[in-house]
Amino acid sequence: MRAAMRIWGMGTGMAMGLAALAGPLAAGPGFGSWESLGEALFFDPNLSRDRTQACATCHDPNSGFVDPRETDLGRAVSLGDDGRSLGTRNAPTVGYAALTPPFHLSAEGKWVGGLFLDGRAADLEAQAGGPPLNQVEMAMPDKPAVVARLRETPEYVAALEALAGKAVFDIPEAAYDAMTRAIAAYERTPEFAPFDSKYDRYLRGEYELTRQEDLGRLLFFSQQFTNCNLCHQLKTSPVDPQETFSNYEYHNIGVPPNPALAHMAGPDRGLMDNPGVDDLAQAGKFKVPSLRNVAVTGPYMHNGVFEDLRTVVLFYNTYNTRSEARQINPETGQPFAAPEVDGTLSMKELTTGPALEDDRIDALVAFLKTLTDARYEDLLGE
């Protein structure tokens, strides 16, 4: 069943996906745990209005849990269930997302955690419940409509009644919440956070970093030479085996607008789109992403404006260099454009550390590649 369902998740086409889904589910043995039920739901396109889109469509497990599909705008944003609608943000990976803390205000007065780039979902369950009802994504009209789709599959009904109680379908809200609980349970399995990259193997003494990778590691964790770990180190120790490479804070780093996203009504307000935030000082701030699998989950930034990981490092370097040549975006041949949202930039973090020369830029990129899970190493193209 898993292999057949994942044909759809790989994006091989609607006809093949639905055909593969229909047979195994009809004859399947059912789901004995929240995790196994959640896996089935994660790959099920029937939970979208036109039955063309599953969670796995925009979070393909074979592509670092991001959207590999090309649109007229490249891969900057995702195509919706109707085949026409386009999102306004780059789909973030759900790899390692289970380790994100709940959305909260820290003791230092900083917003931290939450799911989505603006933290509007407090936890994985809330995040899983968003896309089915988003009219640009899976486009279902309401929760009862989604629950009606669940009822079409007897195995789902049996599993939900066994796991959540016989009365779970009496109230659509309860059945919908049970669905999100199952998807979240699947996303909490080791499949999403295996900690088996070259870096993890290095920590366990199973891999020897190259000289360039090791230089990048030293630079990354040193505030004397870079500003990387100010936002991309969660744990106190630089050799913590559970490091997710994000402190989950929110920052405006001055990302330029993506001119390809002409369908947007205006600049992306970031954290200001979180209904729990009404402070104008948060405009243009986005959650610091995990760097796990960063080398295979481009394009980069909330709007997909940069295609190459090295460009991202060069962009950060613009805040610390006086070289005019270093202000040029290699992807356009023009200077990096002005911030999409100005006035709230995290200048203290951005201007920490010296300017970087090519050897150190390349070393940082080499180190970031070592954060790629073993299953995705073939995607590095090396």
Side-chain angles (χ1 to χ4, degrees):
M1 176 175 62
R2 175 186 294 186
M5 292 175 70
R6 289 195 177 184
I7 291 175
W8 172 255
M10 296 176 195
T12 57
M14 179 172 63
M16 183 180 294
L18 293 177
L21 186 67
L25 278 181
F31 311 100
S33 67
W34 287 106
E35 292 82 2
S36 60
L37 174 60
E39 180 176 10
L41 295 168
F42 189 87
F43 290 92
D44 191 347
N46 287 321
L47 301 180
S48 64
R49 185 185 63 187
D50 293 342
R51 304 177 190 265
T52 71
Q53 191 151 298
C55 301
T57 306
C58 296
H59 300 289
D60 187 336
N62 293 302
S63 302
F65 292 104
V66 296
D67 192 344
R69 299 174 298 164
E70 291 284 341
T71 71
D72 291 341
L73 308 183
R75 291 179 294 117
V77 295
S78 295
L79 193 66
D81 174 68
D82 61 5
R84 300 182 305 277
S85 298
L86 291 165
T88 57
R89 292 177 180 169
N90 184 250
T93 178
V94 292
Y96 297 88
L99 301 173
T100 305
F103 187 69
H104 68 282
L105 199 61
S106 72
E108 294 77 26
K110 296 181 178 180
W111 289 108
V112 179
L115 279 299
F116 295 115
L117 293 172
D118 55 24
R120 65 186 185 275
D123 52 30
L124 277 180
E125 285 81 359
Q127 188 279 326
L133 303 180
N134 186 308
Q135 293 308 293
V136 180
E137 297 183 45
M138 297 170 76
M140 293 295 282
D142 50 35
K143 292 181 179 181
V146 178
V147 173
R149 292 289 179 87
L150 293 173
R151 283 182 172 276
E152 292 178 0
T153 304
E155 285 78 10
Y156 288 169
V157 174
L160 286 168
E161 288 181 344
L163 294 168
K166 284 289 186 180
V168 66
F169 283 99
D170 291 352
I171 303 174
E173 182 86 21
Y176 194 87
D177 288 349
M179 176 194 76
T180 66
R181 177 179 174 181
I183 294 172
Y186 172 51
E187 292 179 342
R188 291 190 175 99
T189 63
E191 179 175 351
F192 289 78
F195 288 98
D196 64 357
S197 68
K198 286 181 178 179
Y199 174 72
D200 299 298
R201 303 198 300 270
Y202 156 77
L203 292 181
R204 296 193 291 265
E206 300 167 2
Y207 174 76
E208 183 177 353
L209 296 175
T210 68
R211 291 184 63 183
Q212 186 181 50
E213 291 167 347
D214 199 37
L215 173 59
R217 179 186 65 85
L218 293 171
L219 292 170
F220 184 94
F221 287 110
S222 170
Q223 291 185 23
Q224 180 181 357
F225 297 111
T226 73
N227 55 11
C228 303
N229 73 338
L230 292 181
C231 297
H232 288 287
Q233 182 180 345
L234 179 65
K235 307 293 186 177
T236 303
S237 170
V239 292
D240 193 295
Q242 295 293 302
E243 179 60 62
T244 56
F245 294 93
S246 171
N247 62 8
Y248 302 103
E249 292 179 358
Y250 289 79
H251 291 280
N252 180 356
I253 60 172
V255 174
N258 186 341
L261 307 188
H263 63 291
M264 289 187 60
D268 193 328
R269 304 190 311 157
L271 188 52
M272 283 294 293
D273 285 337
N274 184 315
V277 178
D278 59 4
D279 177 10
L280 290 175
Q282 308 306 317
K285 294 185 179 181
F286 293 88
K287 185 177 64 181
V288 174
S290 168
L291 296 181
R292 292 276 176 176
N293 294 314
V294 66
V296 296
T297 51
Y300 302 101
M301 307 306 185
H302 67 274
N303 55 7
V305 67
F306 301 139
E307 290 288 334
D308 189 75
L309 184 56
R310 192 175 194 274
T311 303
V312 175
V313 180
L314 289 170
F315 169 73
Y316 278 106
N317 194 47
T318 61
Y319 289 97
N320 295 315
T321 181
R322 296 181 180 179
S323 168
E324 291 186 6
R326 290 292 189 185
Q327 302 296 328
I328 302 299
N329 179 346
E331 297 179 10
T332 65
Q334 300 296 320
F336 284 98
E340 182 176 15
V341 176
D342 206 350
T344 60
L345 273 65
S346 298
M347 293 304 296
K348 178 182 177 181
E349 289 82 359
L350 290 168
T351 57
T352 296
L356 300 174
E357 297 301 326
D358 281 337
D359 60 336
R360 295 191 171 189
I361 290 171
D362 292 338
L364 283 170
V365 172
F367 172 66
L368 293 174
K369 290 181 178 180
T370 71
L371 306 183
T372 306
D373 291 346
R375 67 187 289 191
Y376 301 128
E377 287 176 357
D378 62 334
L379 300 180
L380 291 170
E382 297 178 341

